[in-house]
Amino acid sequence: MAGKAVIARAKTTVVSGGTGARRSLYWQYMVEPFLYLSPMILLIGSVMLMPLIVGISYSFQSIELLNPFATGWVGFENYEKLWSDRKFWIALENTVFWTFWSIFFQFLLGLGLAMLLNTQFFGKKLFQALVFLPWAVPTFLSALTWAWLFNPVIGPIPHWLAALGVLSEPYNILGDPDLAIWGPITANIWFGVPFFAITLLAALQSIPGELYEAAEIDGATPWQSFTKITLPFLAPMIAITVMLRTIWIANFADLIFVMTGGGPANSTQILSTYIFTTAFRKLDFGYASTIAVALLIILLAYAVILLWMRKRLVKI
Amino acid sequence: MGSVARSNSRHPALAFGKYAAIAFYLGFALFPLYWLMKIAITPDALIFSEGTRMLPSAVTFENFATVLFETEFLAYFRNSLTVSLGTAFFTTLIAAGAGYAFSRFVFAGKRIIIAVMLITQMFPLLMIIAPIYKIVADLGLLNSLTSLIVVYTAFNIPFATFLMQSFFDGIPKDLEEAAMMDGCSRFQALRTVVFPLTLPGLGATLGFVFTAAWSELLFALMLISKNDAMTFPVGLLTFVSKFSVDWGQMMAAGVLALVPSCLFFIFIQRYLVQGLTSGAVKG
């Protein structure tokens, strides 16, 4: 299509002269698109890319706002400190736990919801608007709401858990180092299911309906059509969504920051909250940037491995 | 789609499972919001004694009145509205231009620019939190809503651009080509032919960016420390610690915080789902 447009325009200008045609092509390839793109390039360059480079350079410096005289280049000193920082390794472990279980349940429930929305039933449009609503709730408010629900004074959850025998008495699990991380994970599942559902729904709708009809004629059970048709068709989409969401959730600090602040006793400290508290509680920008670079490297490695696996596995 | 629906009606167990699933998702999605609302309208005296009762035995709107007229709530609200509307307007304007370029032009460096935009979606925003703080502080712009608008606009542009591109892709190219053949310039064709068709897309992008800016917390927390410049999330967090005993007021403030983004969401939900699904299928 784009080629056709270029040819069409080139033809019209050819009539008016040879050099005009070349100028028109130059205009169309090199100038005109950038008239539309330049504000975006300018803004992303100055607000995201430049600070990114500055941030990487910070990780090789000592920048403590509370100690302005200690500023200067320190080589890999921050990285050595990171290597022997026990809190960093705890935070890394928590990041993996938080990300894995958040994704696991978001995916499972998102897939269920997508399959539900791929069928017909009475009031489907209203249902969709209502179950997608959590997605519209500002994250800080999701965090507060769930923190309130977990509070035994005003929230029902501890009482339910005690009634089910999960807790010995109704207390706030957000204060229990062994269980606290499940608070933000629950909030994250609640918030993230709609997004998974949308992307998976899109993939479901691209599966040709005839496949299911043929399978039904051949006597396939619903479970067989699910495992033999639905899942294989969804696989590429699942791989890409899970990858993007993993990166996003690993970076996502708001829920934990508001619900537990990384406590109790660092049991919910993930790398993103650790970066934020290092930067803005301790005002140690150099070390905060070092943790951020480490997180960036881990995520890049993860993405590269996953894309490589996808290339090896999906040969079609 | 039809076949799935038909096979469901043939398996009674599946049909039952389906309605159970519908009930489950509705409960899971709505219960927290219901609870927020319930405590906000429960009279203070009953909040503790009726802690786990599903329905309050009495209803009051006193908490809403207190929050609205006796706290700084309205100032936070106004600041957030300024920031979110400003961000939504500039982001949509810029993303519409960029999305149009991606949709209609083949040009030098296109793949590189798209790759860079994808990378900005992947790296931790916290990576740039310290540098941005220093830059904003050095420019003397801490506690200014303008700096928040600029930063949020940049954050939201990549996704908004992809969203706008998918909307432009859905508008046949022949329309503007025909207009251009008739002697319109590209810009005239854009304004008179393409723009009216893009309105739903522009609306969806506006709404999406508005809600994203409305709920951003960490950068606002970092760049704003003066009470009179606080946005809603920051204000509400300090509000919560200030009024930590008054659950009713906190919940009322929470319900009020929900109103603008939910209104926007209900309005744009259909377009957003449409835009995301068509974009996702292509990718």
PDB file of all heavy atoms in Angstrom, chain B residues 182-205:
ATOM      1  N   ASP B 182      -7.736  14.838  -5.591  1.00  0.00           N
ATOM      2  CA  ASP B 182      -8.643  15.943  -5.906  1.00  0.00           C
ATOM      3  C   ASP B 182      -8.023  17.295  -5.611  1.00  0.00           C
ATOM      4  O   ASP B 182      -8.692  18.319  -5.687  1.00  0.00           O
ATOM      5  CB  ASP B 182      -9.950  15.807  -5.108  1.00  0.00           C
ATOM      6  CG  ASP B 182     -10.785  14.644  -5.632  1.00  0.00           C
ATOM      7  OD1 ASP B 182     -10.481  14.179  -6.746  1.00  0.00           O
ATOM      8  OD2 ASP B 182     -11.705  14.208  -4.924  1.00  0.00           O
ATOM      9  N   GLY B 183      -6.756  17.310  -5.180  1.00  0.00           N
ATOM     10  CA  GLY B 183      -6.068  18.578  -5.032  1.00  0.00           C
ATOM     11  C   GLY B 183      -5.869  19.044  -3.601  1.00  0.00           C
ATOM     12  O   GLY B 183      -5.341  20.129  -3.376  1.00  0.00           O
ATOM     13  N   CYS B 184      -6.279  18.238  -2.618  1.00  0.00           N
ATOM     14  CA  CYS B 184      -5.984  18.609  -1.235  1.00  0.00           C
ATOM     15  C   CYS B 184      -4.503  18.380  -0.964  1.00  0.00           C
ATOM     16  O   CYS B 184      -3.901  17.482  -1.542  1.00  0.00           O
ATOM     17  CB  CYS B 184      -6.763  17.712  -0.262  1.00  0.00           C
ATOM     18  SG  CYS B 184      -8.480  18.131  -0.042  1.00  0.00           S
ATOM     19  N   SER B 185      -3.931  19.153  -0.070  1.00  0.00           N
ATOM     20  CA  SER B 185      -2.599  18.802   0.424  1.00  0.00           C
ATOM     21  C   SER B 185      -2.796  17.671   1.425  1.00  0.00           C
ATOM     22  O   SER B 185      -3.915  17.399   1.849  1.00  0.00           O
ATOM     23  CB  SER B 185      -1.965  19.998   1.125  1.00  0.00           C
ATOM     24  OG  SER B 185      -2.617  20.243   2.339  1.00  0.00           O
ATOM     25  N   ARG B 186      -1.696  16.985   1.803  1.00  0.00           N
ATOM     26  CA  ARG B 186      -1.842  15.893   2.752  1.00  0.00           C
ATOM     27  C   ARG B 186      -2.464  16.398   4.055  1.00  0.00           C
ATOM     28  O   ARG B 186      -3.315  15.752   4.649  1.00  0.00           O
ATOM     29  CB  ARG B 186      -0.493  15.245   3.042  1.00  0.00           C
ATOM     30  CG  ARG B 186      -0.623  14.053   4.007  1.00  0.00           C
ATOM     31  CD  ARG B 186       0.697  13.423   4.320  1.00  0.00           C
ATOM     32  NE  ARG B 186       1.178  12.557   3.266  1.00  0.00           N
ATOM     33  CZ  ARG B 186       0.796  11.292   3.115  1.00  0.00           C
ATOM     34  NH1 ARG B 186      -0.076  10.761   3.918  1.00  0.00           N
ATOM     35  NH2 ARG B 186       1.298  10.552   2.149  1.00  0.00           N
ATOM     36  N   PHE B 187      -2.053  17.589   4.457  1.00  0.00           N
ATOM     37  CA  PHE B 187      -2.559  18.097   5.719  1.00  0.00           C
ATOM     38  C   PHE B 187      -4.048  18.398   5.646  1.00  0.00           C
ATOM     39  O   PHE B 187      -4.796  18.106   6.564  1.00  0.00           O
ATOM     40  CB  PHE B 187      -1.768  19.341   6.140  1.00  0.00           C
ATOM     41  CG  PHE B 187      -2.075  19.752   7.545  1.00  0.00           C
ATOM     42  CD1 PHE B 187      -1.592  19.025   8.619  1.00  0.00           C
ATOM     43  CD2 PHE B 187      -2.875  20.854   7.799  1.00  0.00           C
ATOM     44  CE1 PHE B 187      -1.891  19.383   9.918  1.00  0.00           C
ATOM     45  CE2 PHE B 187      -3.189  21.225   9.087  1.00  0.00           C
ATOM     46  CZ  PHE B 187      -2.686  20.497  10.154  1.00  0.00           C
ATOM     47  N   GLN B 188      -4.457  18.963   4.501  1.00  0.00           N
ATOM     48  CA  GLN B 188      -5.897  19.231   4.318  1.00  0.00           C
ATOM     49  C   GLN B 188      -6.693  17.931   4.330  1.00  0.00           C
ATOM     50  O   GLN B 188      -7.754  17.849   4.949  1.00  0.00           O
ATOM     51  CB  GLN B 188      -6.146  19.961   2.999  1.00  0.00           C
ATOM     52  CG  GLN B 188      -5.865  21.451   3.079  1.00  0.00           C
ATOM     53  CD  GLN B 188      -5.911  22.095   1.701  1.00  0.00           C
ATOM     54  OE1 GLN B 188      -5.522  21.477   0.703  1.00  0.00           O
ATOM     55  NE2 GLN B 188      -6.364  23.328   1.650  1.00  0.00           N
ATOM     56  N   ALA B 189      -6.151  16.905   3.644  1.00  0.00           N
ATOM     57  CA  ALA B 189      -6.837  15.616   3.592  1.00  0.00           C
ATOM     58  C   ALA B 189      -6.955  15.050   4.997  1.00  0.00           C
ATOM     59  O   ALA B 189      -7.979  14.499   5.393  1.00  0.00           O
ATOM     60  CB  ALA B 189      -6.061  14.652   2.699  1.00  0.00           C
ATOM     61  N   LEU B 190      -5.885  15.219   5.768  1.00  0.00           N
ATOM     62  CA  LEU B 190      -5.855  14.718   7.134  1.00  0.00           C
ATOM     63  C   LEU B 190      -6.936  15.377   7.967  1.00  0.00           C
ATOM     64  O   LEU B 190      -7.674  14.737   8.701  1.00  0.00           O
ATOM     65  CB  LEU B 190      -4.472  15.045   7.707  1.00  0.00           C
ATOM     66  CG  LEU B 190      -3.938  14.203   8.846  1.00  0.00           C
ATOM     67  CD1 LEU B 190      -3.934  12.754   8.441  1.00  0.00           C
ATOM     68  CD2 LEU B 190      -2.524  14.647   9.191  1.00  0.00           C
ATOM     69  N   ARG B 191      -7.021  16.707   7.809  1.00  0.00           N
ATOM     70  CA  ARG B 191      -7.933  17.474   8.649  1.00  0.00           C
ATOM     71  C   ARG B 191      -9.391  17.190   8.287  1.00  0.00           C
ATOM     72  O   ARG B 191     -10.226  16.988   9.157  1.00  0.00           O
ATOM     73  CB  ARG B 191      -7.634  18.966   8.494  1.00  0.00           C
ATOM     74  CG  ARG B 191      -8.234  19.860   9.555  1.00  0.00           C
ATOM     75  CD  ARG B 191      -7.612  21.240   9.488  1.00  0.00           C
ATOM     76  NE  ARG B 191      -7.716  21.793   8.136  1.00  0.00           N
ATOM     77  CZ  ARG B 191      -8.715  22.564   7.710  1.00  0.00           C
ATOM     78  NH1 ARG B 191      -9.683  22.892   8.535  1.00  0.00           N
ATOM     79  NH2 ARG B 191      -8.755  23.027   6.480  1.00  0.00           N
ATOM     80  N   THR B 192      -9.684  17.150   7.000  1.00  0.00           N
ATOM     81  CA  THR B 192     -11.085  17.070   6.596  1.00  0.00           C
ATOM     82  C   THR B 192     -11.588  15.630   6.448  1.00  0.00           C
ATOM     83  O   THR B 192     -12.750  15.354   6.687  1.00  0.00           O
ATOM     84  CB  THR B 192     -11.323  17.807   5.266  1.00  0.00           C
ATOM     85  OG1 THR B 192     -10.396  17.275   4.316  1.00  0.00           O
ATOM     86  CG2 THR B 192     -11.094  19.287   5.419  1.00  0.00           C
ATOM     87  N   VAL B 193     -10.708  14.705   6.059  1.00  0.00           N
ATOM     88  CA  VAL B 193     -11.172  13.340   5.783  1.00  0.00           C
ATOM     89  C   VAL B 193     -10.813  12.374   6.907  1.00  0.00           C
ATOM     90  O   VAL B 193     -11.670  11.647   7.413  1.00  0.00           O
ATOM     91  CB  VAL B 193     -10.571  12.816   4.447  1.00  0.00           C
ATOM     92  CG1 VAL B 193     -11.073  11.413   4.163  1.00  0.00           C
ATOM     93  CG2 VAL B 193     -10.920  13.766   3.316  1.00  0.00           C
ATOM     94  N   VAL B 194      -9.543  12.382   7.322  1.00  0.00           N
ATOM     95  CA  VAL B 194      -9.092  11.374   8.274  1.00  0.00           C
ATOM     96  C   VAL B 194      -9.494  11.730   9.704  1.00  0.00           C
ATOM     97  O   VAL B 194      -9.973  10.885  10.455  1.00  0.00           O
ATOM     98  CB  VAL B 194      -7.556  11.188   8.173  1.00  0.00           C
ATOM     99  CG1 VAL B 194      -7.088  10.119   9.145  1.00  0.00           C
ATOM    100  CG2 VAL B 194      -7.174  10.825   6.760  1.00  0.00           C
ATOM    101  N   PHE B 195      -9.330  13.003  10.056  1.00  0.00           N
ATOM    102  CA  PHE B 195      -9.554  13.411  11.440  1.00  0.00           C
ATOM    103  C   PHE B 195     -10.926  12.994  11.995  1.00  0.00           C
ATOM    104  O   PHE B 195     -11.008  12.408  13.076  1.00  0.00           O
ATOM    105  CB  PHE B 195      -9.337  14.925  11.587  1.00  0.00           C
ATOM    106  CG  PHE B 195      -9.612  15.442  12.959  1.00  0.00           C
ATOM    107  CD1 PHE B 195      -8.735  15.168  14.013  1.00  0.00           C
ATOM    108  CD2 PHE B 195     -10.749  16.190  13.230  1.00  0.00           C
ATOM    109  CE1 PHE B 195      -8.999  15.632  15.277  1.00  0.00           C
ATOM    110  CE2 PHE B 195     -11.021  16.660  14.496  1.00  0.00           C
ATOM    111  CZ  PHE B 195     -10.136  16.378  15.527  1.00  0.00           C
ATOM    112  N   PRO B 196     -12.026  13.259  11.253  1.00  0.00           N
ATOM    113  CA  PRO B 196     -13.334  12.869  11.804  1.00  0.00           C
ATOM    114  C   PRO B 196     -13.434  11.368  12.077  1.00  0.00           C
ATOM    115  O   PRO B 196     -14.052  10.947  13.048  1.00  0.00           O
ATOM    116  CB  PRO B 196     -14.322  13.276  10.701  1.00  0.00           C
ATOM    117  CG  PRO B 196     -13.605  14.304   9.905  1.00  0.00           C
ATOM    118  CD  PRO B 196     -12.161  13.958   9.956  1.00  0.00           C
ATOM    119  N   LEU B 197     -12.769  10.559  11.223  1.00  0.00           N
ATOM    120  CA  LEU B 197     -12.830   9.109  11.403  1.00  0.00           C
ATOM    121  C   LEU B 197     -11.974   8.647  12.581  1.00  0.00           C
ATOM    122  O   LEU B 197     -12.143   7.553  13.109  1.00  0.00           O
ATOM    123  CB  LEU B 197     -12.349   8.402  10.131  1.00  0.00           C
ATOM    124  CG  LEU B 197     -13.244   8.567   8.915  1.00  0.00           C
ATOM    125  CD1 LEU B 197     -12.548   8.048   7.669  1.00  0.00           C
ATOM    126  CD2 LEU B 197     -14.550   7.827   9.143  1.00  0.00           C
ATOM    127  N   THR B 198     -11.013   9.484  12.974  1.00  0.00           N
ATOM    128  CA  THR B 198     -10.100   9.103  14.044  1.00  0.00           C
ATOM    129  C   THR B 198     -10.655   9.449  15.421  1.00  0.00           C
ATOM    130  O   THR B 198     -10.069   9.063  16.425  1.00  0.00           O
ATOM    131  CB  THR B 198      -8.751   9.837  13.884  1.00  0.00           C
ATOM    132  OG1 THR B 198      -8.495   9.976  12.506  1.00  0.00           O
ATOM    133  CG2 THR B 198      -7.625   9.061  14.507  1.00  0.00           C
ATOM    134  N   LEU B 199     -11.758  10.183  15.456  1.00  0.00           N
ATOM    135  CA  LEU B 199     -12.267  10.661  16.748  1.00  0.00           C
ATOM    136  C   LEU B 199     -12.384   9.582  17.831  1.00  0.00           C
ATOM    137  O   LEU B 199     -11.945   9.800  18.959  1.00  0.00           O
ATOM    138  CB  LEU B 199     -13.600  11.385  16.559  1.00  0.00           C
ATOM    139  CG  LEU B 199     -13.459  12.817  16.025  1.00  0.00           C
ATOM    140  CD1 LEU B 199     -14.828  13.443  15.788  1.00  0.00           C
ATOM    141  CD2 LEU B 199     -12.641  13.686  16.979  1.00  0.00           C
ATOM    142  N   PRO B 200     -12.949   8.387  17.510  1.00  0.00           N
ATOM    143  CA  PRO B 200     -13.002   7.367  18.562  1.00  0.00           C
ATOM    144  C   PRO B 200     -11.613   6.997  19.064  1.00  0.00           C
ATOM    145  O   PRO B 200     -11.405   6.841  20.272  1.00  0.00           O
ATOM    146  CB  PRO B 200     -13.650   6.163  17.865  1.00  0.00           C
ATOM    147  CG  PRO B 200     -14.306   6.702  16.658  1.00  0.00           C
ATOM    148  CD  PRO B 200     -13.571   7.937  16.263  1.00  0.00           C
ATOM    149  N   GLY B 201     -10.668   6.888  18.139  1.00  0.00           N
ATOM    150  CA  GLY B 201      -9.293   6.554  18.521  1.00  0.00           C
ATOM    151  C   GLY B 201      -8.685   7.628  19.396  1.00  0.00           C
ATOM    152  O   GLY B 201      -8.041   7.338  20.409  1.00  0.00           O
ATOM    153  N   LEU B 202      -8.902   8.884  19.015  1.00  0.00           N
ATOM    154  CA  LEU B 202      -8.389   9.987  19.826  1.00  0.00           C
ATOM    155  C   LEU B 202      -9.018   9.960  21.208  1.00  0.00           C
ATOM    156  O   LEU B 202      -8.336  10.148  22.218  1.00  0.00           O
ATOM    157  CB  LEU B 202      -8.688  11.331  19.148  1.00  0.00           C
ATOM    158  CG  LEU B 202      -7.883  11.646  17.886  1.00  0.00           C
ATOM    159  CD1 LEU B 202      -8.429  12.905  17.215  1.00  0.00           C
ATOM    160  CD2 LEU B 202      -6.418  11.824  18.218  1.00  0.00           C
ATOM    161  N   GLY B 203     -10.319   9.672  21.250  1.00  0.00           N
ATOM    162  CA  GLY B 203     -11.011   9.611  22.539  1.00  0.00           C
ATOM    163  C   GLY B 203     -10.445   8.508  23.415  1.00  0.00           C
ATOM    164  O   GLY B 203     -10.194   8.717  24.608  1.00  0.00           O
ATOM    165  N   ALA B 204     -10.223   7.332  22.826  1.00  0.00           N
ATOM    166  CA  ALA B 204      -9.694   6.211  23.596  1.00  0.00           C
ATOM    167  C   ALA B 204      -8.306   6.537  24.139  1.00  0.00           C
ATOM    168  O   ALA B 204      -7.991   6.275  25.300  1.00  0.00           O
ATOM    169  CB  ALA B 204      -9.637   4.958  22.727  1.00  0.00           C
ATOM    170  N   THR B 205      -7.474   7.138  23.285  1.00  0.00           N
ATOM    171  CA  THR B 205      -6.120   7.464  23.721  1.00  0.00           C
ATOM    172  C   THR B 205      -6.153   8.514  24.830  1.00  0.00           C
ATOM    173  O   THR B 205      -5.466   8.382  25.845  1.00  0.00           O
ATOM    174  CB  THR B 205      -5.290   7.976  22.526  1.00  0.00           C
ATOM    175  OG1 THR B 205      -5.452   7.051  21.448  1.00  0.00           O
ATOM    176  CG2 THR B 205      -3.828   8.072  22.869  1.00  0.00           C
TER     177      THR B 205
END
